[in-house]
Amino acid sequence: MNNVAVPKTFSELFIYKFKRNVMAVAGAVVVFILFVVAAFAPVIAPYDPSEINTKIILLAPSIDHLCGTDDLGRDVFSRMVFGSRISLTVGFVAVGIATLIGVFIGAVSGYFGGWVDSALMRFVDLMLTIPSFFLILAVIAFMEPSIYNIMIVIGVTGWMSVARLVRAEFLALKERDFVTSAKALGATNSVIIIRHILPNAMSPVLVSATLGVAGAILTESSLSFLGIGVQPPTPSWGNILTLGKDNIEYAWWLSVYPGMAILVTVLGYNLLGEGVRDALDPRIVIHSELE
Amino acid sequence: MNAYVIRRLLLMIPMMIGVTLISFTIIHLAPGEPMAQQTDLNPNASPESLKRLRELYHLDKPLYVQYYIWVKKIVVLDFGDSFSIDARPVLDKIAERIPITLTLNALSLIIVLVVSIPIGVYSAIRPYSLFDKIATFFVFFGFSMPTFWLALLLMLFFGVWLEWLPISGIESYNHDSLSPVGRFIDYTEHLLMPALVAGLTSLAGLSRFTRQNMLEVIRQDYVVTARAKGLNENVVVYKHCLKNAMLPVVTILALSIPGLIGGSVIFETIYAIPGMGQLFFQSVMSRDYPLIMGILVIGSFLTLLANLLADIAYAFVDPRIAYE
């Protein structure tokens, strides 16, 4: 082990540990491929995803139609390729919203403490008491079902764990010497929070955001599957599966392929998130070193 | 202990007030006219009748007045009448659905416990072994699996292709003519797939959790002592480690309750099971305010109750914890 270049800096160590985690690398590759597919969807998709052709309704998978066709004769593979854009957008925007709210509430709560902290944390407890899928469903159903509303609702109902996480980090960090010295130099509260403490609290937020994307994609596809998410003709993996359920006795391919896409994508984000967490955790020593 | 339970029960009151406030505000601020369901499809409905309907349900009053009227009734467990055609009391509608959802969730919790704890224990005894690696991979699989897709796949496989299990409902058409044993088998066949599907995410979570706890416990000094004095490995693992590693499981189980209740919407809709989840989905789709609010409040109440029971149970199984 001694003649191998030993990683010194934080990022070197991070990359060193991450690269040795096969599952994490696999997750990163999946996520990367998903980005490429979403970015080049028009090039990759062999057909127009919304082109209706009544002559080729519910065709089984073949060389021409890799994942078969749906009940309107649209190419399922092309629809899945374009559906990746929905998953990606919803995942990122929803988690972005949740992270912004969570970081704000967590930071304020942890930094100021006292009654502000108590009030905000009781509010978090309350939000966690209402079964979250119930809450999402209740709100979504009253609004026009659209991709924007879904992103907002998933974000607005998903910030609580981030808030708790950030609060815990702030509670520990605000007692540290660098914060005291910033205060002594006359820095305002907002400067201390944003410039001094927040950057040091970002690692767990990053991990939770990565895992959050996985959760948001799952929620979006469930809602679309129930018919109150992304509306046809816009293709989403969830709403193709709705067709799969309607045609379950005739067209297995409508039920099988889009679900695989969801599973692999979510798995990718989960593996990536866990990999980042392990690589950031100084307590975790790479297993191969122990043997 | 009694004082603790009483204090916790009293604490539930402000929590429930908060829950009602949040859900009431969200539902009523969301755009959409609940009465539209009753007037849009009826060509004879005049603007006046819409106005009368709104007055009847107090929808014309300011939000805080509506909330006050609603909460005043809730205190005496009057959740109002459903907006749907049958106009039955909300509480009756929920009461006939709850047993089905609770039975289903109880079944899946049993499956979860029976499967996940052995997996977690074996993984922890031999960390990084082949079994552990496979188990870890399956845990990630379970976390990442879209529940509704698994439901669809099982339906396709066991229902459509193999024709082993029925794909919807909780009883067959000829259920009433079956013998008691036949009825039991009929129920089991119908509930097997939904219970499996409902438990999958918790199953993955709990086996991971058990593994981590076991790994913590196995490192403890008293386990080293137990081994050093020559105790049988099985005794060490199952008597000394497992008991202690299982303590936090009580809490985790309680924490999974809101997820299970919320998740019931998906699989009850897919499998056409007449439980609370399906009722909630229907009420939401028809903008049935009283029913939506009723289910939100009762769902949250069940969650709070589960948390309380978990904390009490914790005190019973762990003698180190004393609530004063």
Side-chain angles (χ1 to χ4, degrees):
Chain A
M1 259 335 249
N2 286 335
N3 24 11
V4 182
V6 181
K8 293 259 166 31
T9 66
F10 180 73
S11 51
E12 268 175 25
L13 186 66
F14 176 81
I15 295 168
Y16 177 83
K17 283 169 90 177
F18 191 86
K19 277 201 323 210
R20 266 155 191 77
N21 186 342
V22 184
M23 300 238 270
V25 174
V29 170
V30 167
V31 171
F32 177 72
I33 292 175
L34 190 78
F35 269 95
V36 173
V37 170
F40 297 101
V43 185
I44 294 170
Y47 299 90
D48 178 352
S50 43
E51 188 186 272
I52 295 171
N53 184 348
T54 46
K55 291 194 195 99
I56 51 165
I57 283 172
L58 294 179
L59 286 185
S62 63
I63 301 293
D64 287 340
H65 297 279
L66 284 175
C67 302
T69 61
D70 67 7
D71 58 345
L72 295 172
R74 295 173 296 194
D75 181 54
V76 174
F77 180 70
S78 305
R79 291 184 71 70
M80 278 167 54
V81 168
F82 274 87
S84 69
R85 292 182 157 186
I86 300 279
S87 298
L88 207 66
T89 320
V90 171
F92 273 85
V93 178
V95 167
I97 296 172
T99 307
L100 278 180
I101 303 177
V103 166
F104 179 77
I105 293 195
V108 169
S109 194
Y111 184 76
F112 292 106
W115 67 268
V116 179
D117 182 34
S118 313
L120 288 174
M121 284 304 113
R122 288 300 80 71
F123 184 58
V124 168
D125 289 346
L126 275 177
M127 290 292 288
L128 286 171
T129 302
I130 305 174
S132 66
F133 199 73
F134 273 20
L135 200 61
I136 291 175
L137 207 63
V139 180
I140 279 283
F142 284 94
M143 310 209 280
E144 285 298 309
S146 78
I147 180 169
Y148 304 105
N149 287 339
I150 287 186
M151 295 188 295
I152 294 170
V153 172
I154 296 178
V156 168
T157 51
W159 52 268
M160 289 82 80
S161 57
V162 184
R164 281 188 170 170
L165 213 66
V166 173
R167 174 180 174 269
E169 290 288 315
F170 266 67
L171 281 180
L173 288 168
K174 74 173 177 185
E175 308 294 343
R176 299 271 288 271
D177 290 344
F178 68 90
V179 177
T180 317
S181 77
K183 268 184 192 156
L185 289 170
T188 58
N189 283 334
S190 54
V191 169
I192 295 177
I193 290 178
I194 297 169
R195 292 275 304 279
H196 296 280
I197 305 186
L198 200 54
N200 289 297
M202 279 326 271
S203 321
V205 175
L206 189 73
V207 173
S208 111
T210 315
L211 299 175
V213 172
I217 291 175
L218 276 181
T219 309
E220 180 274 322
S221 56
S222 316
L223 291 169
S224 298
F225 175 74
L226 288 174
I228 47 178
V230 176
Q231 297 295 303
T234 309
S236 108
W237 295 339
N239 70 29
I240 304 174
L241 284 170
T242 316
L243 296 178
K245 179 177 182 269
D246 295 343
N247 298 295
I248 193 161
E249 313 209 3
Y250 329 103
W252 56 269
W253 53 94
L254 286 175
S255 298
V256 172
Y257 295 118
M260 265 184 206
I262 302 173
L263 174 65
V264 170
T265 305
V266 174
L267 195 60
Y269 276 106
N270 278 337
L271 291 175
L272 179 65
E274 292 284 333
V276 172
R277 169 183 293 162
D278 288 354
L280 286 172
D281 190 342
R283 286 170 305 175
I284 294 183
V285 194
I286 303 133
H287 180 58
S288 57
E289 282 178 50
L290 293 171
E291 282 176 342
Chain B
M1 186 72 192
N2 280 340
Y4 172 77
V5 174
I6 291 169
R7 203 170 68 228
R8 282 290 303 266
L9 281 172
L10 287 177
L11 247 172
M12 277 172 82
I13 298 171
M15 286 295 273
M16 281 314 290
I17 294 177
V19 165
T20 57
L21 260 175
I22 292 179
S23 24
F24 192 87
T25 318
I26 288 174
I27 304 296
H28 284 259
L29 286 184
E33 167 59 62
M35 288 303 128
Q37 296 277 331
Q38 302 188 1
T39 50
D40 276 358
L41 295 173
N42 184 352
N44 297 326
S46 61
E48 288 77 38
S49 61
L50 179 64
K51 196 164 158 260
R52 272 204 307 282
L53 268 175
R54 292 180 57 87
E55 276 168 18
L56 180 65
Y57 292 111
H58 308 292
L59 292 170
D60 55 335
K61 301 195 174 61
L63 208 55
Y64 62 90
V65 179
Q66 289 188 40
Y67 177 74
Y68 177 68
I69 295 171
W70 178 69
V71 161
K72 218 169 57 180
K73 284 186 170 169
I74 291 245
V75 175
V76 289
L77 285 182
D78 177 5
F79 285 85
D81 294 337
S82 162
F83 279 176
S84 66
I85 313 283
D86 60 10
R88 291 175 53 212
V90 166
L91 208 56
D92 289 3
K93 286 188 108 162
I94 298 176
E96 66 191 24
R97 302 287 192 117
I98 279 189
I100 297 173
T101 301
L102 289 186
T103 311
L104 203 53
N105 283 336
L107 267 179
S108 58
L109 273 183
I110 292 172
I111 298 178
V112 167
L113 283 173
V114 169
V115 178
S116 65
I117 291 177
I119 292 181
V121 170
Y122 282 115
S123 295
I125 297 176
R126 288 178 190 80
Y128 307 108
S129 64
L130 185 65
F131 178 86
D132 183 34
K133 281 179 179 154
I134 295 173
T136 305
F137 192 72
F138 270 100
V139 164
F140 276 108
F141 235 74
F143 272 137
S144 313
M145 179 70 87
T147 335
F148 64 96
W149 183 53
L150 182 71
L152 216 56
L153 282 187
L154 293 181
M155 253 166 116
L156 194 65
F157 195 70
F158 292 111
V160 178
W161 287 347
L162 296 176
E163 294 185 5
W164 284 359
L165 294 169
I167 61 173
S168 69
I170 53 165
E171 49 184 50
S172 308
Y173 294 111
N174 59 349
H175 184 79
D176 291 333
S177 61
L178 295 170
S179 63
V181 178
R183 283 186 199 179
F184 180 75
I185 293 173
D186 191 42
Y187 276 135
T188 314
E189 283 180 342
H190 280 87
L191 291 180
L192 195 59
M193 279 202 281
L196 268 177
V197 170
L200 185 80
T201 319
S202 320
L203 203 155
L206 195 63
S207 30
R208 192 85 192 143
F209 191 73
T210 309
R211 176 182 182 274
Q212 273 163 2
N213 277 342
M214 279 298 279
L215 281 177
E216 291 284 319
V217 172
I218 281 177
R219 286 194 213 119
Q220 302 287 320
D221 288 344
Y222 65 84
V223 176
V224 178
T225 311
R227 284 195 175 132
K229 69 179 181 185
L231 279 184
N232 181 311
E233 184 66 17
N234 279 333
V235 177
V236 174
V237 170
Y238 291 100
K239 273 193 90 171
H240 289 73
C241 299
L242 187 60
K243 264 189 181 171
N244 286 297
M246 282 300 91
L247 293 176
V249 168
V250 183
T251 316
I252 288 292
L253 276 183
L255 288 179
S256 68
I257 301 280
L260 280 175
I261 295 176
S264 62
V265 173
I266 297 174
F267 57 83
E268 284 181 9
T269 309
I270 297 177
Y271 287 112
I273 291 166
M276 209 161 81
Q278 196 199 39
L279 183 70
F280 187 68
F281 187 64
Q282 290 162 351
S283 68
V284 153
M285 293 317 279
S286 58
R287 294 182 182 170
D288 193 339
Y289 277 177
L291 197 48
I292 297 174
M293 297 300 304
I295 296 177
L296 279 180
V297 170
I298 288 175
S300 311
F301 179 72
L302 288 178
T303 308
L304 282 175
L305 208 59
N307 287 342
L308 174 63
L309 287 179
D311 286 350
I312 295 173
Y314 209 92
F316 271 108
V317 290
D318 190 345
R320 285 169 304 183
I321 293 176
Y323 301 118
E324 69 288 342

